[in-house]
Amino acid sequence: MSIEVKDVTKVYGTQKALDSVSFRIDQGEVVGFLGPNGAGKSTMMKIITSFLPQTSGEVSVCGNDVLLESMEVRRNVGYLPENNPLYHDMYVKEYLLFVAGMYKMKNSEPRVMEMIALTGLEKEYKKKIGALSKGYRQRVGLAQALIHDPKVLILDEPTSGLDPNQLVEIRSLIVELGKEKTVMLSTHIMQEVESVCDRIIIIKEGVIVADDSVSEIKKGAKDVRTIMVEFDKTVIVDDLMKIKGVAETKDLGDNKWLLSTSESEDIRPAIFQFAVDNRLSVLTMNEQEQSLEEVFKELTN
Ligand code: ADP
Ligand code: MG
């Protein structure tokens, strides 16, 4: 188990930012942590990285308790904080050597150059951080998080504020890193989650409202399944409504129909049987997924 969060509550003054949060992340998983602004994402990440103590509950990373064994936790975790705070007056290489020094790494120069190459900073590493574009600063943030070769990466909104090209580049870098490391990243961009993550945890007002694989989450928050079916001939609504399990129909034209169930049962065999009984051919049939945006809105509004 890479990350284990049990019953974690965090109270700031009188405000509860996290309320009995529990989840587990296995080694090698790439998990998207989603939620509206103020949901508690950054707070959870600061607790996992030993930057902030929880009010109650337990958190361990690679088997180490974040309160009792914070040095071990920091050794195993690479953290890109929200807004990627960096020293703008330092040169890229100088800064990375400085970070390596904090981890007491000996002979860190080759490792720093390796990270510069990995994050695509070869042309920029002689510049001051303040002179870099946002996308390149983000790469410096990632290089900083990776320098001690941590097993777990915690990335708080790693792509916020990037232009579309930078977005694609940073995402593919994260996918690459996810092949070897456990990654937890927060975002509110849904496509990001689809292109990068295996699993999604959605948080709302400090409470986890969903925790599942991307495909399960896309099947919908509602207990409704919708099948798109295309027949070779005309059918009438009354006949379709007789198919066991069908609660709603929608005519898409050209003998194409959307058939919805009221429960989460698979009606495809019944549709197929209907076609056989009525001497129809089924030209296409597939289950309609809800877009992640729809699911996210439903769960967090
Ligand atoms: P997110 O990262 O999902 O936007 P945060 O974890 O930053 O959410 O914040 C969760 C809630 O806790 C918010 O309502 C925020 O205002 C509050 N909060 C965050 N940090 C502090 C703090 N240092 N002091 C008081 N309240 C805070
Ligand atoms: Mg945040």
Side-chain angles (χ1 to χ4, degrees), residues 11 19 30 258 268 277-278:
V11 182
D19 189 358
V30 179
L258 286 182
R268 286 172 299 180
D277 294 346
N278 292 277

Side-chain angles (χ1 to χ4, degrees), residues 121-162:
L121 284 164
E122 293 103 325
K123 289 188 185 142
E124 312 283 329
Y125 77 89
K126 289 177 182 160
K127 292 184 185 169
K128 274 193 177 177
I129 291 170
L132 300 181
S133 69
K134 176 113 199 202
Y136 279 98
R137 276 184 215 167
Q138 215 62 357
R139 288 164 194 257
V140 176
L142 279 170
Q144 163 276 128
L146 288 165
I147 197 121
H148 56 303
D149 196 21
K151 296 191 183 93
V152 177
L153 273 181
I154 304 288
L155 310 175
D156 198 351
E157 306 210 10
T159 57
S160 84
L162 300 186

Side-chain angles (χ1 to χ4, degrees), residues 3-277:
I3 303 173
E4 191 151 17
V5 174
K6 265 192 257 171
D7 247 352
V8 166
T9 293
K10 175 72 190 179
V11 182
Y12 292 112
T14 54
Q15 192 193 356
K16 219 180 230 184
L18 296 173
D19 189 358
S20 276
V21 170
S22 298
F23 59 83
R24 298 152 71 107
I25 298 180
D26 276 325
Q27 197 180 328
E29 277 191 288
V30 179
V31 174
F33 195 37
L34 282 164
N37 277 327
K41 302 181 295 296
S42 297
T43 300
M44 191 68 247
M45 291 180 141
K46 285 176 196 163
I47 293 171
I48 293 171
T49 52
S50 276
F51 271 79
L52 191 73
Q54 65 269 35
T55 308
S56 63
E58 279 171 41
V59 180
S60 67
V61 179
C62 302
N64 298 121
D65 186 279
V66 294
L67 296 178
L68 305 173
E69 298 160 307
S70 68
M71 290 312 282
E72 283 81 0
V73 169
R74 281 160 205 250
R75 217 167 284 143
N76 285 321
V77 171
Y79 177 36
L80 178 65
E82 190 170 32
N83 304 322
N84 188 18
L86 295 168
Y87 297 105
H88 287 195
D89 282 333
M90 283 179 104
Y91 293 91
V92 173
K93 187 176 171 186
E94 177 194 15
Y95 171 68
L96 293 174
L97 285 166
F98 164 71
V99 175
M102 290 204 297
Y103 287 106
K104 302 200 168 56
M105 292 169 66
K106 295 197 184 78
N107 188 25
S108 54
E109 160 110 21
R111 178 68 188 168
V112 164
M113 292 314 293
E114 199 187 322
M115 290 306 100
I116 283 170
L118 180 72
T119 53
L121 284 164
E122 293 103 325
K123 289 188 185 142
E124 312 283 329
Y125 77 89
K126 289 177 182 160
K127 292 184 185 169
K128 274 193 177 177
I129 291 170
L132 300 181
S133 69
K134 176 113 199 202
Y136 279 98
R137 276 184 215 167
Q138 215 62 357
R139 288 164 194 257
V140 176
L142 279 170
Q144 163 276 128
L146 288 165
I147 197 121
H148 56 303
D149 196 21
K151 296 191 183 93
V152 177
L153 273 181
I154 304 288
L155 310 175
D156 198 351
E157 306 210 10
T159 57
S160 84
L162 300 186
D163 72 33
N165 292 331
Q166 296 170 332
L167 211 77
V168 170
E169 289 165 8
I170 296 290
R171 270 184 209 156
S172 56
L173 183 56
I174 294 171
V175 168
E176 218 33 58
L177 295 168
K179 289 179 183 163
E180 285 186 6
K181 299 182 187 297
T182 305
V183 180
M184 179 179 191
L185 68 100
S186 70
T187 177
H188 29 234
I189 308 172
M190 302 301 131
Q191 301 98 296
E192 184 147 294
V193 174
E194 282 194 87
S195 63
V196 176
C197 304
D198 316 318
R199 193 176 125 205
I200 305 179
I201 298 174
I202 302 179
I203 186 169
K204 177 197 177 185
E205 292 168 6
V207 177
I208 305 288
V209 292
D211 179 354
D212 222 325
S213 65
V214 174
S215 58
E216 281 301 315
I217 293 221
K218 281 174 70 183
K219 281 189 185 155
K222 297 180 293 195
D223 268 351
V224 172
R225 289 172 73 169
T226 301
I227 309 292
M228 199 284 281
V229 58
E230 178 183 6
F231 300 107
D232 63 332
K233 291 197 243 359
T234 314
V235 286
I236 56 170
V237 178
D238 288 351
D239 288 343
L240 288 171
M241 287 302 289
K242 284 181 200 147
I243 299 173
K244 191 174 175 293
V246 172
E248 241 181 87
T249 65
K250 187 175 177 202
D251 189 353
L252 299 177
D254 295 333
N255 304 324
K256 287 182 191 152
W257 294 83
L258 286 182
L259 307 179
S260 303
T261 63
S262 57
E263 286 165 56
S264 62
E265 63 182 315
D266 193 355
I267 53 168
R268 286 172 299 180
I271 296 170
F272 193 77
Q273 194 56 49
F274 164 83
V276 171
D277 294 346

